[in-house]
Amino acid sequence: MRSPDAGWDTVRRFIGPILGLALLVWLCIPAAVRGPLEFIFPDAPEVTYDRASLVGLIGEHLVLVAVSTAAATALGLFIGIGVTREAGRPFLPLAQDASSLAQTFPPVAILALAVPILGFGFTPTVAALFVYSILPVVKNTIAGLEAVPADILEASTGMGMRPVERLMRTELPLAARVILAGVRTSVVLNVGTATIGATIGAGGLGRIIIAGLVRDNPAWILTGALAAAVLALLADRLFAGLDETFYSAGEVI
Amino acid sequence: MIELRNVTKLYGTTVALNGISIRVAEGELCVLIGPSGCGKSTTLRLVNRLVEPTSGEIFLDGKPVRSFVPETLRRGIGYVIQSIGLLPHMTVEQNIGIVPKLLGWDMERREKRASELLELVGLDPPAYREKYPSQLSGGEAQRIGVARALAADPPVLLMDEPFGAVDPLNREAIQDEFASIQRKLRKTVVFVTHDLDEAVRLADHVVVMKDGVVVQEGAPEHILEQPSNDFVQDFVGSDRVLKRLSRFSVEDHTEQGEPVPLPAGSAGRSYITPLSENPVRPVWKVDPSGLLLGLSVPGDDQLFHPPEPFWVHPSSNLREALALMLYLHVSHLPVVDEHRKFIGEVTAAQIYAITRRGVGHGA
Ligand SMILES: Nc1ncnc2c1ncn2[C@@H]1O[C@H](COP(=O)(O)OP(=O)(O)O)[C@@H](O)[C@H]1O
Ligand SMILES: [Mg+2]
């Protein structure tokens, strides 16, 4: 099983996340980043953001992403499963079109639309992220469920599975990988998109970026953007790791 | 017991079944055969309610199938399809355990049952239990498909071209295995195929279908002997005489031979002589314990010992016996048991007598 290259493969797989994590930790220590940032931006008045700790902002950011993605995954699964059942099938084309169309909608526009309804702050931002990230989940849930081979469905029904049993024991396990890929897209997308939530006061890493723009401080912009990018990378690697864990060794299809 | 009474099935304007009636007796293996699109699969799927009839009624043990909850009905009927449909995310053991699990069996009982069934279909349980379907060959997967259908010991099996995707080399072996399993278990089986050899090999009863109707039914040897019309005649083919021979066993057509014990001291003599140089009726030579040694021609005590197997077993069929006769250029073959103990002989004359009954009918 284990080739001589396996050790090197492991190194390659973990080197990105480890470097990313190290970068993030480093960014969180003001004393450590001050020197290099002052060197890059000699004109900046104050290179470290002291109105909130970066750790706190990262925490807010992750809560924004986690809450919106969790809700989007739940509803996305519900819609995806619903429109692939016999009773919901008439709505399948609608769901497919809507999910393709809505992704062409800029997230800022959704945010702008959410403000008059939900006001400023955390809630409208989560709502906007939620709406935006349902789509990849719906799309992949439909794709995953529709790709379950007809003969496997026939065998499952023929053995006497009830519709719910068939969904839980046959369809979802077989669609899980594609659904997981949809959630991964949502999360990565949301880590980036969540930064704009700061424009309506949702907190998160967007806050330091916006502050940098307002105060004309490129060091803050760089810090926020770098942290958000590393978070997106780490989230992506996390899902890649999940995928590799569950779908290695030719166990599935 | 399964009965379809005057069943019609329409798909839109397509008439899939046109008022067919079929009875399958308990413990009988009934083969539905006919060209593609004649309604075989539809017939099968009416029984486990994957398809509902447009009109007519289907009975299982005298009860209309529509009186069952479909899932309950299906859990009591084994179902095997050509593409098998093993669940790729489950091990062999879990696949076999699907219906038992639906029926609420505990883990221990399911595992025990899976081992029994792997044994039954000729796969080593420790080697196969933990495998995934993607790690199986076509023939192995098909055996697991059969094991899975048998898991909850249903009295009825529905099989839709179950061995259709197995390569021809392995197909005969798996058919023979299934035939021997069926001899043991005596399930009521409805078996769909478009392969006549398979039907002849397995069926107790054959239903020949065309365009949604039954054109002829009966024992396979009967259909091969007397095709009722041109369609069946064409379908069974010009070699139907040979096919029919495979329905007759050597055991039922063994005549008393004449074993002649060798004189003492001559047991070691053997001559390698082709049988074809021996056109006359042979005398079978056995040793004192009855084991076949060879043959001689009457009036000459010289023992011939052909270099190749020149005998048949009681479990062989007459088609195989005839093939061996043609190959060896002889008209008589000794019948021996698995220890090569002499039992009797089969003769070309008997085979001709049987085939003569089968010609001259039909077109
Ligand atoms: N689900 C379906 N929808 C429409 N037509 C069908 C369906 N299933 C079968 N048919 C039609 O019914 C006829 C019989 O099909 P089938 O029972 O599958 O035949 P076979 O198994 O003998 O090849 C065919 O003409 C086929 O096209
Ligand atoms: Mg068919």
Side-chain angles (χ1 to χ4, degrees):
Chain A
M1 274 300 281
R2 238 180 132 76
S3 71
D5 285 340
W8 176 232
D9 276 348
T10 313
V11 170
R12 242 189 316 215
R13 192 180 311 159
F14 287 108
I15 195 98
I18 288 172
L19 287 180
L21 212 55
L23 183 61
L24 212 55
V25 170
W26 178 68
L27 282 174
C28 290
I29 305 167
V33 287
R34 189 164 291 128
L37 282 177
E38 278 171 351
F39 177 75
I40 303 172
F41 305 108
D43 300 334
E46 177 57 58
V47 290
T48 55
Y49 187 71
D50 48 13
R51 244 144 333 131
S53 75
L54 198 64
V55 180
L57 293 179
I58 289 173
E60 283 175 12
H61 204 85
L62 288 179
V63 170
L64 273 176
V65 172
V67 172
S68 58
T69 313
T73 302
L75 187 69
L77 271 173
F78 184 79
I79 294 173
I81 291 169
V83 297
T84 52
R85 302 304 95 186
E86 212 173 316
R89 220 158 248 288
F91 299 98
L92 179 59
L94 180 71
Q96 276 169 325
D97 292 347
S99 61
S100 313
L101 188 74
Q103 266 192 302
T104 62
F105 224 74
V108 183
I110 298 180
L111 205 59
L113 287 173
V115 171
I117 306 166
L118 297 164
F120 285 87
F122 182 81
T123 317
T125 307
V126 166
L129 293 179
F130 164 75
V131 170
Y132 200 57
S133 59
I134 290 174
L135 311 167
V137 180
V138 170
K139 204 166 150 186
N140 282 38
T141 303
I142 292 173
L145 291 174
E146 291 285 282
V148 177
D151 58 315
I152 289 183
L153 293 178
E154 165 155 3
S156 300
T157 309
M159 283 187 286
M161 290 189 194
R162 298 190 183 92
V164 176
E165 287 164 338
R166 194 176 86 166
L167 176 69
M168 301 307 288
R169 294 176 196 204
T170 301
E171 297 180 71
L172 284 178
L174 289 179
R177 189 174 194 179
V178 179
I179 296 175
L180 190 70
V183 177
R184 176 176 171 177
T185 308
S186 282
V187 169
V188 173
L189 213 64
N190 272 354
V191 170
T193 313
T195 51
I196 63 169
T199 54
I200 57 168
L205 290 168
R207 212 171 124 192
I208 182 170
I209 298 174
I210 302 291
L213 288 170
V214 172
R215 301 281 205 81
D216 199 14
N217 187 335
W220 292 356
I221 299 175
L222 181 70
T223 307
L226 212 52
V230 171
L231 277 190
L233 171 94
L234 289 177
D236 189 61
R237 287 286 86 206
L238 178 74
F239 277 91
L242 282 178
D243 187 76
E244 280 162 20
T245 311
F246 289 120
Y247 300 100
S248 57
E251 286 181 14
V252 168
I253 334 182
Chain B
M1 207 265 290
I2 300 168
E3 184 179 359
L4 279 80
R5 210 178 284 164
N6 201 17
V7 174
T8 294
K9 176 66 189 176
L10 306 176
Y11 289 107
T13 54
T14 309
V15 183
L17 293 175
N18 193 355
I20 66 162
S21 297
I22 295 173
R23 283 174 71 101
V24 185
E26 189 156 344
E28 181 180 78
L29 195 154
C30 173
V31 168
L32 307 180
I33 193 167
S36 179
C38 70
K40 307 180 293 293
S41 299
T42 303
T43 305
L44 203 66
R45 304 170 74 195
L46 284 163
V47 178
N48 64 1
R49 291 190 63 186
L50 287 175
V51 167
E52 299 290 352
T54 307
S55 69
E57 189 88 78
I58 300 102
F59 298 91
L60 184 69
D61 287 331
K63 277 180 281 198
V65 291
R66 64 182 160 75
S67 69
F68 293 85
V69 175
E71 285 83 10
T72 313
L73 177 77
R74 291 175 195 141
R75 287 171 196 188
I77 298 178
Y79 187 47
V80 188
I81 54 180
Q82 181 176 342
S83 54
I84 322 173
L86 293 179
L87 303 197
H89 59 294
M90 292 186 186
T91 62
V92 163
E93 185 171 63
Q94 289 167 337
N95 264 287
I96 296 175
I98 290 173
V99 178
K101 193 169 179 184
L102 291 171
L103 293 171
W105 295 17
D106 61 38
M107 174 94 115
E108 200 183 328
R109 188 167 166 213
R110 293 202 303 267
E111 287 178 3
K112 188 158 159 283
R113 183 63 181 154
S115 290
E116 279 170 22
L117 285 164
L118 283 170
E119 204 93 58
L120 182 73
V121 298
L123 298 173
D124 181 38
Y128 283 89
R129 239 192 322 254
E130 301 298 326
K131 284 197 179 185
Y132 283 90
S134 60
Q135 299 167 307
L136 302 171
S137 74
E140 289 166 347
Q142 208 50 265
R143 286 179 172 82
I144 306 293
V146 173
R148 186 173 69 174
L150 291 169
D153 203 17
V156 174
L157 286 185
L158 305 177
M159 308 178 83
D160 196 343
E161 308 198 18
F163 310 135
V166 181
D167 61 279
L169 221 60
N170 289 311
R171 196 180 305 156
E172 263 185 45
I174 200 171
Q175 286 165 351
D176 285 343
E177 279 168 37
F178 179 68
S180 89
I181 290 172
Q182 168 62 3
R183 270 195 299 277
K184 244 182 285 177
L185 304 180
R186 286 273 149 222
K187 302 287 181 190
T188 306
V189 186
V190 189
F191 190 110
V192 166
T193 185
H194 57 248
D195 175 355
L196 188 65
D197 284 318
E198 184 168 73
V200 171
R201 195 179 287 265
L202 298 174
D204 298 313
H205 188 83
V206 172
V207 175
V208 185
M209 295 175 64
K210 185 196 178 203
D211 300 335
V213 296
V214 174
V215 282
Q216 188 177 4
E217 62 177 310
E221 54 273 24
H222 171 74
I223 288 172
L224 291 166
E225 184 186 343
Q226 296 190 10
S228 65
N229 60 31
D230 288 355
F231 170 77
V232 182
Q233 170 112 7
D234 281 351
F235 191 78
V236 296
S238 51
D239 62 343
R240 65 187 166 95
V241 174
L242 279 178
K243 288 188 175 116
R244 187 166 160 266
L245 276 181
S246 63
R247 292 291 300 183
F248 297 90
S249 74
V250 165
E251 186 169 21
D252 293 341
H253 297 84
T254 301
E255 290 179 355
Q256 220 46 61
E258 288 167 48
V260 179
L262 280 180
S266 56
R269 291 169 60 207
S270 69
Y271 297 89
I272 297 171
T273 309
L275 281 173
S276 54
E277 292 175 17
N278 255 316
V280 289
R281 193 179 194 299
V283 176
W284 309 114
K285 297 283 182 143
V286 299
D287 75 2
S289 65
L291 293 188
L292 181 70
L293 291 173
L295 63 142
S296 64
V297 292
D300 182 352
D301 248 356
Q302 201 180 32
L303 176 73
F304 290 94
H305 182 77
E308 296 167 279
F310 61 102
W311 56 83
V312 288
H313 295 296
S315 60
S316 310
N317 63 52
L318 291 186
R319 183 181 181 164
E320 290 160 346
L322 179 63
L324 189 59
M325 286 178 186
L326 293 173
Y327 178 68
L328 297 169
H329 285 271
V330 296
S331 55
H332 295 70
L333 292 174
V335 180
V336 299
D337 70 9
E338 65 270 31
H339 307 297
R340 224 200 295 172
K341 200 163 176 322
F342 183 82
I343 298 170
E345 63 180 3
V346 283
T347 67
Q350 284 174 299
I351 294 177
Y352 291 147
I354 289 167
T355 54
R356 214 174 298 124
R357 270 186 270 142
V359 293
H361 296 280

